[in-house]
């Protein structure tokens, strides 16, 4: 059983969630997502079950109670079926479907309140009969997998190359318009970043093509950042982008997807600087997150028609650097007291505003890049020497799927060569 405090507001949240699940056909409803996030914040996971499972089990218990005591829930067949499918079929099926791409992710990191809400919407859109679990799970996972991001591929004159089904993934929502910021480890930093952007001078935001009124979602990409991929070998890191596949009827991009590695690097400073006040570190992490968001929106533009084919990165960078510096300088001028004085000293020492947090981000990414290259090259050496277990141990340290695939290829080639030498092939 779940020992949760139950106020009138909590009761209403449960009824809102269960009413949506019982009567909706899957249309997005920010009130449903907000209520679900509220329940996630209230819930205490019952070990060893993760938080998402505890929440869904608690909702099932509450639905059973309401079906006996509330006329509106006398027939709760749909809600009961959806909760069961989400808990037992779709979420485990999503993990299985992406076992290569997301093998490094614990389900507690993937399945936050807003992600579970989006899964419920996807299940409802499949419609009944609710006992056809295979059809519903397959359709829901296909509906969820709607993001591939920056994927440069060769273009052939006689062939259109499309991403493979397993390359598509569902970014994990951090903020949804009308529902707020998801409960979890990133909440404080994301909330502060959105507040800072809301208070930023409109001229800077226009230069950055950032329009929060058109933005419907901010999410993070749960896939590993592959530093060894040709697209990621540029001097500048790919912090995030506006999703080119999410466009509203006014021609604006509506979803911003940030790299999880960016969030984790910013969050790591909160524990690596114990001598500084936590609220100051949160504000500085939020400032850098906001800065990286407007840098990448400047590259993406507001929609497909922002940049024509004559615009290249070399032409964009000076413009982006100008408004990025203006953003940090204006923000630094608004922070007073001891925190402002420390940041001013830091800016003089490091030759840039918020230099501590910004340089920590770049240093963390550089360390992770070096670690990936080290483990990948060691895996290749061990594989070619004929030590597949040692090679796999090195490759598994790297979350990128490509590293494990290359390691497996090298191991198979080595095993094949040894078999030929020993005459073991028939």
């Amino acid at each position: 059983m779940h020992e949760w405090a139950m106020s009138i507001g909590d009761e209403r949240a449960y009824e809102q969630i269960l009413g949506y699940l019982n009567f909706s056909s899957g249309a997005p409803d920010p009130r449903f997502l907000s209520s679900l996030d509220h329940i996630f914040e209230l819930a205490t996971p019952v070990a060893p079950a993760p938080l998402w499972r505890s929440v869904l089990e608690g909702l099932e218990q509450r639905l059973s109670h309401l079906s006996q005591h509330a006329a509106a829930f006398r027939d709760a067949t749909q809600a009961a079926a959806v909760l069961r499918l989400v808990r037992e079929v779709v979420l485990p099926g999503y993990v299985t479907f992406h076992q290569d791409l997301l093998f490094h992710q614990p389900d507690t990191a993937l399945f936050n309140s807003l992600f579970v809400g989006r899964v419920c919407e996807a299940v409802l859109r499949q419609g009944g009969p609710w006992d056809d679990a295979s059809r519903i799970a397959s359709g829901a996972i296909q509906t969820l997998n709607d993001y591939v991001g920056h994927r440069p591929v060769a273009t052939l004159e006689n062939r259109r190359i499309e991403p493979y089904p397993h390359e598509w993934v569902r970014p994990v929502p951090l903020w949804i318009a009308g529902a707020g910021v998801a409960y979890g480890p990133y909440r404080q930093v994301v909330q502060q970043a959105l507040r800072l952007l809301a208070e930023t001078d409109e001229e800077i935001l226009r230069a950055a093509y950032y329009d929060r009124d058109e933005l419907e979602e901010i999410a993070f990409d749960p896939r590993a950042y592959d530093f060894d991929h040709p697209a990621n070998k540029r001097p500048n890191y790919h912090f995030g982008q506006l999703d080119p596949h999410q466009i509203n009827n006014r021609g604006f991009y509506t979803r911003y997807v940030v790299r999880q590695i960016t969030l984790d690097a910013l969050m790591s400073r909160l524990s690596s600087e114990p001598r500084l006040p936590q609220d100051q570190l949160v504000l500085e992490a939020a400032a850098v997150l906001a800065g990286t968001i407007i840098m990448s929106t400047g590259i993406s533009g507001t929609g497909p028609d922002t940049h024509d084919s004559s615009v290249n990165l070399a032409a964009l960078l000076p413009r982006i650097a100008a408004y990025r510096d203006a953003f940090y300088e204006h923000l630094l001028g608004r922070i007073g007291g001891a925190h402002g004085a420390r940041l001013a000293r830091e800016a003089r020492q490091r030759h840039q505003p918020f230099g501590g947090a910004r340089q920590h981000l770049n240093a963390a990414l550089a360390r992770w890049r070096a670690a990936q290259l080290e483990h990948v090259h060691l895996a290749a050496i061990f594989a070619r020497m004929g030590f597949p277990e040692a090679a796999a141990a090195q490759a598994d340290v790297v979350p990128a799927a490509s590293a494990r695939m290359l390691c497996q290829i090298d191991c198979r080639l080595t095993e094949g060569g040894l078999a030929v030498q020993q005459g073991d092939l028939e």
Side-chain angles (χ1 to χ4, degrees):
M1 294 295 291
H2 305 270
E3 300 297 332
W4 300 345
M6 189 73 74
S7 66
I8 294 176
D10 301 341
E11 288 273 8
R12 288 175 179 167
Y14 275 108
E15 291 180 8
Q16 166 65 38
I17 295 166
L18 296 172
Y20 174 85
L21 295 177
N22 207 37
F23 303 111
S24 174
S25 58
D29 185 348
R31 294 173 301 171
F32 160 68
L33 297 173
S34 178
S35 296
L36 188 59
D37 185 71
H38 178 68
I39 298 304
F40 263 76
E41 190 170 2
L42 286 179
T44 302
V46 179
L51 180 59
W52 62 268
R53 184 174 288 275
S54 295
V55 168
L56 292 172
E57 289 174 351
L59 286 167
E60 288 176 310
Q61 293 173 13
R62 189 63 190 160
L63 180 63
S64 177
H65 172 80
L66 288 174
S67 66
Q68 298 172 25
H69 297 90
F73 291 93
R74 196 62 49 83
D75 181 4
T77 305
Q78 176 173 299
V82 170
L83 287 170
R84 178 183 58 80
L85 286 165
V86 170
R87 177 170 57 87
E88 298 298 336
V89 182
V90 181
L91 290 178
Y94 183 83
V95 172
T96 301
F97 185 88
H98 286 306
Q99 59 186 339
D100 290 326
L101 196 65
L102 303 179
F103 91 107
H104 63 292
Q105 289 281 14
D107 56 4
T108 51
L110 293 173
F111 303 152
N112 69 4
S113 59
L114 299 182
F115 187 95
V116 172
R118 290 302 198 208
V119 173
C120 291
E121 294 171 0
V123 169
L124 286 165
R125 283 178 205 154
Q126 307 313 307
W130 299 111
D131 57 353
D132 192 353
S134 178
R135 174 189 63 83
I136 292 171
S138 176
I141 291 171
Q142 185 177 357
T143 300
L144 289 167
N145 290 333
D146 63 355
Y147 178 76
V148 72
H150 181 60
R151 185 184 178 274
V153 295
T155 302
L156 306 179
E157 290 183 3
N158 59 351
R159 183 181 174 193
R160 184 178 179 181
I161 302 177
E162 295 289 348
Y164 298 106
H166 288 263
E167 289 184 82
W168 295 90
V169 72
R170 209 309 169 180
V172 180
L174 294 167
W175 168 87
I176 291 177
V181 179
Y183 172 71
Y186 304 126
R187 173 184 268 183
Q188 275 189 303
V189 170
V190 174
Q191 283 178 331
Q192 287 267 37
L194 290 171
R195 180 183 63 81
L196 294 177
L197 287 170
E199 297 171 354
T200 298
D201 184 89
E202 285 295 328
E203 185 176 343
I204 294 175
L205 296 181
R206 278 196 299 272
Y209 300 114
Y210 177 85
D211 189 343
R212 185 175 174 180
D213 292 337
E214 301 294 344
L215 203 59
E216 297 175 3
E217 182 179 326
I218 295 175
F220 73 81
D221 187 345
R223 299 171 300 180
Y225 190 97
D226 185 1
F227 290 99
D228 210 27
H229 191 284
N232 296 331
K233 290 185 176 181
R234 300 167 304 185
N236 295 309
Y237 294 109
H238 182 196
F239 295 113
Q241 69 175 107
L242 286 163
D243 184 356
H245 292 97
Q246 300 294 319
I247 307 171
N248 62 21
N249 56 14
R250 294 180 296 279
F252 289 90
Y253 296 135
T254 60
R255 180 166 69 187
Y256 179 81
V257 181
V258 63
R259 288 283 188 174
Q260 187 180 18
I261 196 171
T262 302
L263 290 170
D264 289 341
L266 291 172
M267 295 297 295
S268 68
R269 187 167 180 259
L270 273 60
S271 56
S272 66
E273 296 280 1
R275 293 174 297 175
L276 297 177
Q278 194 72 9
D279 60 333
Q280 294 184 12
L281 292 173
V282 169
L283 177 60
E284 292 167 36
V288 178
L289 176 59
T292 58
I293 288 175
I294 60 173
M295 285 169 60
S296 48
T297 57
I299 295 174
S300 300
T302 57
D305 61 347
T306 301
H307 303 306
D308 60 29
S309 58
S310 66
V311 177
N312 56 35
L313 195 58
L316 286 174
L317 283 180
R319 181 171 175 271
I320 292 171
Y323 72 69
R324 175 203 62 192
D325 293 342
F327 167 77
Y328 284 124
E329 288 167 5
H330 288 185
L331 178 56
L332 181 60
R334 300 205 313 266
I335 301 175
H339 189 193
R342 177 177 66 79
L343 287 176
R345 291 194 302 272
E346 184 182 86
R348 291 192 296 271
Q349 293 168 355
R350 297 178 180 267
H351 307 291
Q352 60 180 179
F354 296 91
R358 293 166 70 181
Q359 291 172 21
H360 174 89
L361 171 61
N362 289 325
L365 294 175
R367 286 194 301 271
W368 289 336
R369 175 191 286 273
Q372 174 178 331
L373 298 180
E374 173 188 338
H375 289 295
V376 168
H377 290 161
L378 275 174
I381 291 170
F382 285 137
R384 291 163 190 167
M385 291 173 63
F387 298 102
E389 294 84 3
Q394 291 294 324
D396 285 347
V397 175
V398 181
S402 61
R404 301 193 310 285
M405 293 170 66
L406 289 171
C407 174
Q408 290 166 3
I409 291 170
D410 284 335
C411 288
R412 300 279 176 86
L413 289 172
T414 301
E415 290 171 357
L418 291 172
V420 169
Q421 292 176 9
Q422 297 168 3
D424 291 342
L425 293 182
E426 294 183 0

